[in-house]
Amino acid sequence: MVVGGGIAGVQAALDLTELGYYVYLVEKSAAIGGAMAQLDKTFPTNDCSL
Amino acid sequence: MRPRYIDADKCTACGLCTKYCPKHLVDQYNEGLAVTRPIHIDYAQAVPATYFIDPEACLYLKHGTCQICVCTCQSKAIDFSQKATEKELQIGAVIMAPGFGRVPDATLAKYSYGLHPDVMTSLEFERLLCASGPFEGEVKCLSDRRHPKRIAFIQCVGSRDLGCNNGYCSSVCCMYAIKEAMVAKEHDPEVEITIYYMDMRTQGKGFDAAQKKAEAMGIKFVRARVADVMPWDKNLKLTYSTLDGTHSFEPYDIVVLSVGLDAPADAKNLGEIAGFALNDYDFCKTETFAPLLTTKPGVFVAGAFQGPKDIPESVTQSSAAAGLAAGLIAKDRGKALVHKTYPKEQKTGKDEEVRIGVFVCHCGINISSVVDVAAVEQYTEGMEGVVYHAQSLYSCSQDAQEVLKAKIKEHNLNRVVIAACSPRTHEPLFQETLKDAGLNRCLFEMVNIRDHCSWVHANEPAAATQKSKDLVRMGVAKARHIQPLPEQTVPVTAKALVLGGGVAGLTAALTLAEQGFHTTVVEKEATLGGHLQHLAYTLQGDTVSTVLGELTDTVKKSKLIEVLTNTELTQVSGFVGNFSSVLTTTKGKKATETTLDHGVIIIATGGREHRPEVVLGNPVKYSETVVTQRELEQRLSGKGKNLAPKSVVMVQCAGSRGDDLNYCSKVCCNHAVKNALKIKALDPAAQVVVLYRDMRTYGFAEDAYRQAREQGVVFIPYTMDNSPKFKSSGKKMSITFFDPILRDEVTMTPEVLALSVGIVADGTENLSKLLKIPVNEDKFFLEAHVKLRPVELPVSGIYVCGLAHSPKPVEEIIVQAQAAAAKAAMPLGKGFVSVEPTISCVDKEACIGCGLCESLCPYQSIRIIKDENGKRKAETITASCKGCGICASHCPVFAISMGGYTDEQINAQITAFGAQ
Amino acid sequence: MSQKDFNPKILGFLCNWCCYAAADSAGVSRYQYPPNLRTIRVMCTGRLDPAFVLRGFAEGADAIFSGG
């Protein structure tokens, strides 16, 4: 089980499925993505965050 | 589980409900700077792409009225009968990744936050900059919508501040402030931006370079403490004091507060439920050498909750935590996984009659409100190869999939064209349906008449309909030439090769062994331990030799790990899943070679201490009195008397950050503070002066920095244009530097001059040539994606961790090693690598063996081999081909074709483009 | 023909990973742009054979757009 659907939680969940395990991803809000989804660009390459 | 009040299977995310919902709601996603409705989706790309109803704001759920959304929703997705449910799960491991919390508004009040609308947090400013934000990316003052002329950033708001009990550094604010300043400057080059800071902590890989770029763009950096911000006429008055004690003030239009990362609001609650301990700041409590273990076995932590950190480090920790959790429950691997079965694929021969079915989607009203869907459907009547055409309201809905399957059977379709939305989101869904219907999933083409047509030409219905017709005609033309492509998998040798026997390599090997994989560790020196052997203690007080001893013992005892010392990798061939390496072991003068087959490579070759001959323009001769921090540490941890020198001057960034090396080595500030504290512990009367440019004791190391100052260690900043001068005086060295508080030059002749030298890459250039993987300008390996794939390299099946990636402290090295091991375990665990069919394929008959493709391929995925007649022929390495097509477009004899994007198909599309 | 009446036919090759994705988000954000572009999706603009460009012009394109 992964608690939190931000970038850390999502990555952990994805990696666990790739490693061959069934994962429950628990997020308290209506969508995953967390704080990173609110960012416009990312440092230092200014890639789009979404 | 709380209810959404919307059926996720039915919702098509068309947005009609939000349009009709009569009530306003403050938009939290936009940091309260915009309004939305109780029924909404946070942002267009949200996952799941299902709207939801805020029960606290909905008129029906609160007051039993309204329900307008129920009749607006065309797919009948609104379901007010949903109730909160509780689920009980049986789980083997937990990863805690709740993120970070907000700094309380009370901390921001002294900067007039809440009092004046133009004082905003960095996250609010981020939304202002964003094209999907409240002003569509235009930067405006919130007070009167004017464009700002002057913007100030205040750093360390809610960080490095015991006033709000956040003694730590949040580690991300310097970077995002630079980023936001640069983006704002791109929006309006005229705007003046000043960043007020204590230390610029851009210690990450390539971060200093970004700050330099910001300076070059005209962004001003001022080392000062901001006393307050007050409303001043239409503007804001920012009062600050600089190091020399002068107070000044400046007017600004917008003041951005670079707020730190607080512990998550429910941290205490989580800790109690799951039974793990928190640290003094309510972040998760962890140890230096076990950074992702909580105090509760089976519960791991990742991301900002482990300590404030940026995206790449969070991603690395997540992969690492996943790997650790996988090690814990290794015996259950693959147990609960659901495997799907498909009917046998029907053969579609090359000469078989082409039977195309075209389905045009309304997408509710998303397409049909602009595009004349019926006209587009009718347009396909009589097109060559088209035997069936239809419309559907929502072609992605579950029932539409059933219809699609039935029509494929009924009309014996062998190509399907769907004109709807984006293949980037929906292609997999339809391909799945094709497989269910017994068709090869590549016999499919999608035409995007929503995102690329109805949505972007909303006011030109006739032109949009024409464009849809053209796009459909081009899609059908391509479909006529589509051939089935085989699903390809490549078997994997379930063994790993780890290069380097330092803490990174050993940790990676152990993590792999815990998951049950054989690993060979290759170390070029005679002993294991690498760089860490030269360190005695950590900032947190661990004794390094004990921990390292335990680590090497566990590795040596493991039956799954083979250790080869005095050994180097000398040759390598193959690709992900199937590498073959030659390892050369040197014993005395005798060298023996062994060949090893393995599926993955982890690079953990480390780095070494930089020993510059010239520091800040001063020639340096290392001696008893002039030492590096590492040598000082060895002296301080020795056995003799008088371990601590009576007086020490430490010089930071010696040979780093543009002095000799161009980058920051990330560890030297902590190293200096660590040694300074050790000296003070041994002899409280000893005099320690640290000359620095920016003290980069980020994260919780800030506590140690504060402690050092409290214990009388003197920290004095210097600048590159007024840097310290060294002069030999007999056996001793005298140092002259400018003290900004005294505003005068000071000369000291300490017992020891300790240079905080950086870390350089070791042997990366050779390895880079051998493995064909790139290094950056500082000779560290360049990862596949700096944010999202931080331990993978551009060549599939090769991973990097530790100092070979970039300089970093041991805690981060361990996490990176665990992450690299987790990533490497993926192909090993699966036993095969699956390949998208859209890869290159060489026609051996036509190939002339010129080798152009091999030289151009960015992924080293095509190579020249000799065929049975000894002729040079190109061959695609299926496992690592990314399908970019550079080889195909450059092949002088058209011998290379791309699955799904053949010359024939693209030419057919171009011809169809012309045929109106 | 005056500048105003010029209604060009543009053929675009869009990289699946960047420009095609960008065109998708332009749609999601409801940005409005002139309806003159017809697109072909490729996995990378590296796929672009110069012959495609010439063929595009031969088929009557007034301009070729390469987005990658």
Side-chain angles (χ1 to χ4, degrees):
Chain A
M1 178 170 81
V2 177
V3 181
I7 179 63
V10 169
Q11 184 67 47
L14 285 175
D15 284 348
L16 276 167
T17 53
E18 281 292 308
L19 287 165
Y21 301 91
Y22 193 95
V23 185
Y24 296 96
L25 177 61
V26 185
E27 163 62 40
K28 66 176 174 206
S29 78
I32 57 172
M36 189 170 169
Q38 281 185 293
L39 303 183
D40 176 31
K41 305 259 170 50
T42 58
F43 179 89
T45 50
N46 283 5
D47 280 353
C48 178
S49 179
L50 267 175
Chain B
M1 277 173 67
R2 285 191 295 272
R4 306 180 83 90
Y5 303 106
I6 290 178
D7 185 339
D9 293 331
K10 289 185 185 156
C11 175
T12 59
C14 70
L16 263 189
C17 51
T18 305
K19 214 167 177 179
Y20 283 96
C21 178
K23 192 159 184 277
H24 287 280
L25 176 70
V26 172
D27 183 359
Q28 292 301 331
Y29 172 70
N30 271 316
E31 290 291 312
L33 301 180
V35 285
T36 180
R37 310 287 166 147
I39 184 164
H40 70 282
I41 192 162
D42 278 347
Y43 50 101
Q45 297 90 336
V47 176
T50 306
Y51 280 54
F52 73 100
I53 298 174
D54 183 340
E56 290 306 308
C58 171
L59 289 174
Y60 176 70
L61 290 165
K62 260 319 226 205
H63 308 292
T65 58
C66 187
Q67 293 213 53
I68 288 175
C69 48
V70 177
C71 43
T72 10
C73 181
Q74 299 201 329
S75 45
K76 308 254 174 293
I78 288 155
D79 177 7
F80 281 116
S81 70
Q82 286 184 2
K83 293 271 176 301
T85 52
E86 274 192 11
K87 253 191 181 170
E88 213 174 296
L89 305 175
Q90 287 288 328
I91 41 178
V94 182
I95 296 173
M96 285 290 164
F100 56 88
R102 275 169 191 271
V103 171
D105 285 358
T107 310
L108 316 180
K110 73 168 169 177
Y111 305 111
S112 292
Y113 181 78
L115 187 70
H116 195 292
D118 294 334
V119 180
M120 58 186 85
T121 67
S122 45
L123 207 49
E124 289 166 354
F125 193 65
E126 183 94 25
R127 294 313 306 157
L128 274 193
L129 292 172
C130 186
S132 68
F135 302 141
E136 294 178 341
E138 235 183 294
V139 180
K140 293 179 186 177
C141 293
L142 290 173
S143 55
D144 58 1
R145 305 291 190 260
R146 73 178 189 277
H147 290 272
K149 301 256 178 308
R150 292 166 55 86
I151 301 175
F153 283 79
I154 304 175
Q155 298 305 107
C156 302
V157 177
S159 305
R160 302 178 69 184
D161 179 4
L162 284 179
C164 61
N165 191 33
N166 284 356
Y168 56 86
C169 158
S170 291
S171 311
V172 298
C173 327
C174 286
M175 275 62 77
Y176 73 59
I178 292 173
K179 171 194 73 178
E180 290 182 3
M182 283 166 82
V183 176
K185 199 86 176 160
E186 279 168 17
H187 282 260
D188 176 9
E190 299 298 306
V191 66
E192 287 175 42
I193 301 178
T194 310
I195 298 180
Y196 293 94
Y197 71 97
M198 292 199 274
D199 297 281
M200 280 317 286
R201 292 187 169 171
T202 46
Q203 61 271 343
K205 192 178 182 181
F207 291 5
D208 264 345
Q211 192 199 338
K212 272 199 190 133
K213 199 172 145 203
E215 272 172 288
M217 282 172 84
I219 293 162
K220 254 170 69 186
F221 292 83
V222 176
R223 173 172 273 148
R225 294 243 51 179
V226 175
D228 63 16
V229 176
M230 289 307 212
W232 190 21
D233 205 9
K234 264 175 77 180
N235 296 337
L236 293 157
K237 183 169 94 172
L238 184 148
T239 311
Y240 63 97
S241 59
T242 43
L243 265 181
D244 56 13
T246 48
H247 290 255
S248 328
F249 58 86
E250 296 266 349
Y252 286 99
D253 299 307
I254 287 181
V255 171
V256 183
L257 308 179
S258 292
V259 287
L261 310 187
D262 219 325
D266 50 0
K268 280 206 170 98
N269 195 19
L270 266 182
E272 271 167 32
I273 295 172
F276 58 80
L278 303 176
N279 71 10
D280 295 345
Y281 297 118
D282 282 351
F283 285 85
C284 190
K285 187 180 163 73
T286 58
E287 301 291 329
T288 319
F289 288 92
L292 304 182
L293 304 188
T294 67
T295 51
K296 169 100 175 176
V299 180
F300 304 91
V301 61
F305 185 40
Q306 193 263 355
K309 61 179 55 64
D310 62 4
I311 295 164
E313 272 185 49
S314 295
V315 169
T316 310
Q317 287 204 334
S318 307
S319 297
L324 295 177
L328 186 71
I329 50 175
K331 60 178 191 323
D332 291 329
R333 186 168 55 222
K335 269 195 187 157
L337 291 188
V338 187
H339 293 283
K340 208 182 152 183
T341 51
Y342 300 97
K344 200 164 171 265
E345 204 172 275
Q346 73 181 61
K347 288 263 180 298
T348 312
K350 239 192 149 72
D351 308 319
E352 201 182 325
E353 182 203 354
V354 171
R355 298 181 63 82
I356 304 174
V358 182
F359 298 81
V360 188
C361 181
H362 286 248
C363 194
I365 59 162
N366 277 298
I367 295 171
S368 58
S369 65
V370 180
V371 172
D372 184 345
V373 172
V376 176
E377 188 224 336
Q378 267 312 308
Y379 179 69
T380 62
E381 173 70 34
M383 268 188 195
E384 190 191 335
V386 176
V387 296
Y388 179 77
H389 48 79
Q391 303 170 31
S392 61
L393 184 60
Y394 287 108
S395 54
C396 59
S397 64
Q398 211 44 53
D399 53 319
Q401 304 312 302
E402 296 306 319
V403 173
L404 180 55
K405 272 188 251 178
K407 294 295 171 195
I408 289 174
K409 293 243 156 67
E410 187 185 331
H411 297 275
N412 200 15
L413 304 176
N414 57 20
R415 309 282 189 284
V416 174
V417 174
I418 291 189
C421 52
S422 175
R424 288 176 47 85
T425 53
H426 282 72
E427 195 172 56
L429 173 85
F430 294 118
Q431 290 190 327
E432 194 69 18
T433 308
L434 257 66
K435 277 163 88 175
D436 284 337
L439 278 182
N440 182 283
R441 67 180 168 109
C442 297
L443 297 167
F444 173 74
E445 177 64 15
M446 226 175 146
V447 179
N448 193 341
I449 58 168
R450 189 186 73 176
D451 310 43
H452 293 190
C453 197
S454 70
W455 275 354
V456 290
H457 311 309
N459 304 318
E460 299 162 275
T465 303
Q466 186 54 49
K467 180 173 179 179
S468 300
K469 286 180 181 174
D470 292 346
L471 291 173
V472 168
R473 185 178 67 244
M474 290 163 71
V476 169
K478 179 178 179 184
R480 280 199 285 272
H481 295 278
I482 295 177
Q483 293 299 328
L485 296 169
E487 298 290 330
Q488 303 186 56
T489 57
V490 180
V492 167
T493 311
K495 271 187 191 170
L497 172 65
V498 174
L499 303 176
V503 65
L506 297 179
T507 305
L510 260 186
T511 312
L512 281 167
E514 274 163 19
Q515 295 189 53
F517 300 111
H518 278 276
T519 307
T520 302
V521 179
V522 171
E523 168 59 48
K524 67 172 184 213
E525 303 293 336
T527 54
L528 296 175
H531 207 63
L532 212 53
Q533 292 173 90
H534 307 292
L535 300 184
Y537 46 87
T538 67
L539 192 57
Q540 294 77 13
D542 316 76
T543 308
V544 174
S545 57
T546 323
V547 185
L548 191 59
E550 282 168 18
L551 183 64
T552 43
D553 280 351
T554 332
V555 166
K556 281 178 183 160
K557 273 185 204 145
S558 169
K559 289 196 175 85
L560 292 169
I561 304 174
E562 177 192 20
V563 178
L564 299 172
T565 47
N566 293 314
T567 304
E568 278 187 271
L569 176 73
T570 43
Q571 265 184 60
V572 66
S573 63
F575 43 86
V576 57
N578 297 277
F579 287 107
S580 178
S581 298
V582 177
L583 309 170
T584 308
T585 308
T586 320
K587 274 201 184 119
K589 279 183 183 167
K590 215 179 120 209
T592 45
E593 286 193 349
T594 38
T595 309
L596 181 78
D597 289 334
H598 53 103
V600 292
I601 303 175
I602 294 178
I603 299 177
T605 46
R608 62 182 162 77
E609 183 184 55
H610 182 46
R611 291 179 80 85
E613 309 261 303
V614 179
V615 169
L616 301 166
N618 307 295
V620 166
K621 262 214 173 89
Y622 296 91
S623 65
E624 288 256 302
T625 43
V626 181
V627 296
T628 64
Q629 287 290 359
R630 198 169 93 178
E631 288 163 340
L632 178 61
E633 178 171 345
Q634 275 155 2
R635 168 174 171 177
L636 296 175
S637 60
K639 289 212 174 71
K641 276 184 193 170
N642 306 326
L643 291 175
K646 287 272 166 288
S647 61
V648 181
V649 171
M650 299 181 178
V651 177
Q652 299 306 107
C653 304
S656 294
R657 293 184 65 196
D659 183 18
D660 176 5
L661 306 174
N662 262 323
Y663 54 89
C664 163
S665 283
K666 214 175 180 182
V667 299
C668 335
C669 284
N670 285 357
H671 208 162
V673 169
K674 176 176 88 171
N675 283 348
L677 281 172
K678 186 78 174 178
I679 293 168
K680 283 290 186 184
L682 291 166
D683 177 9
Q687 185 188 34
V688 185
V689 175
V690 181
L691 304 176
Y692 71 97
R693 285 167 66 189
D694 294 283
M695 278 311 286
R696 292 182 164 173
T697 47
Y698 59 97
F700 299 124
E702 181 69 15
D703 284 342
Y705 176 34
R706 187 172 41 252
Q707 215 184 327
R709 279 174 294 162
E710 283 163 6
Q711 293 181 13
V713 178
V714 180
F715 291 86
I716 299 169
Y718 71 86
T719 56
M720 281 306 265
D721 48 24
N722 196 3
S723 63
K725 304 277 170 289
F726 309 162
K727 208 176 148 201
S728 289
S729 53
K731 271 192 167 179
K732 294 208 168 160
M733 195 63 118
S734 65
I735 299 114
T736 306
F737 55 90
F738 181 77
D739 186 324
I741 296 175
L742 301 175
R743 285 190 241 184
D744 204 359
E745 300 248 306
V746 177
T747 302
M748 289 182 68
T749 310
E751 189 184 326
V752 167
L753 168 64
L755 300 175
S756 292
V757 293
I759 292 172
V760 285
D762 195 12
T764 48
E765 276 177 308
N766 268 340
L767 212 49
S768 154
K769 281 184 201 135
L770 202 60
L771 295 166
K772 300 197 183 98
I773 40 178
V775 288
N776 68 7
E777 56 193 11
D778 302 321
K779 311 272 191 288
F780 294 102
F781 287 113
L782 197 60
E783 55 272 42
H785 188 290
V786 287
K787 290 275 172 256
L788 301 176
R789 296 171 64 199
V791 295
E792 291 160 87
L793 289 168
V795 180
S796 304
I798 308 185
Y799 311 86
V800 67
C801 58
L803 300 179
H805 166 272
S806 69
K808 59 180 73 63
V810 65
E811 183 176 341
E812 288 168 36
I813 290 177
I814 290 173
V815 169
Q816 225 182 8
Q818 289 166 339
K823 287 286 176 191
M826 289 173 189
L828 300 184
K830 279 190 190 157
F832 62 86
V833 197
S834 51
V835 190
E836 272 298 301
T838 51
I839 57 166
S840 77
C841 175
V842 182
D843 176 356
K844 293 260 161 62
E845 290 289 304
C847 175
I848 52 169
C850 68
L852 187 61
C853 49
E854 186 185 31
S855 68
L856 289 174
C857 178
Y859 306 102
Q860 276 73 47
S861 295
I862 196 158
R863 62 182 169 190
I864 296 292
I865 50 155
K866 291 235 165 93
D867 69 1
E868 55 277 17
N869 304 321
K871 288 210 169 123
R872 282 163 55 87
K873 297 286 172 192
E875 181 185 70
T876 304
I877 300 166
T878 318
S880 53
C881 176
K882 302 274 186 285
C884 72
I886 288 176
C887 51
S889 61
H890 285 77
C891 178
V893 292
F894 308 105
I896 301 176
S897 74
M898 302 304 301
Y901 297 88
T902 63
D903 285 352
E904 207 184 10
Q905 289 162 8
I906 294 175
N907 282 331
Q909 275 175 292
I910 300 172
T911 313
F913 160 78
Q916 283 189 16
Chain C
M1 188 171 60
S2 76
Q3 194 76 22
K4 229 175 99 190
D5 303 326
F6 182 46
N7 194 22
K9 285 173 67 178
I10 306 169
L11 177 62
F13 293 91
L14 309 191
C15 163
N16 178 60
W17 306 107
C18 53
C19 197
Y20 195 95
D24 281 358
S25 29
V28 171
S29 314
R30 308 296 198 276
Y31 285 123
Q32 302 297 307
Y33 57 84
N36 299 54
L37 180 70
R38 305 291 178 266
T39 56
I40 293 177
R41 180 167 76 124
V42 288
M43 278 297 135
C44 167
T45 40
R47 177 72 189 90
L48 221 61
D49 192 318
F52 296 157
V53 178
L54 299 176
R55 185 182 287 266
F57 284 125
E59 290 292 347
D62 295 301
I64 304 284
F65 172 89
S66 160

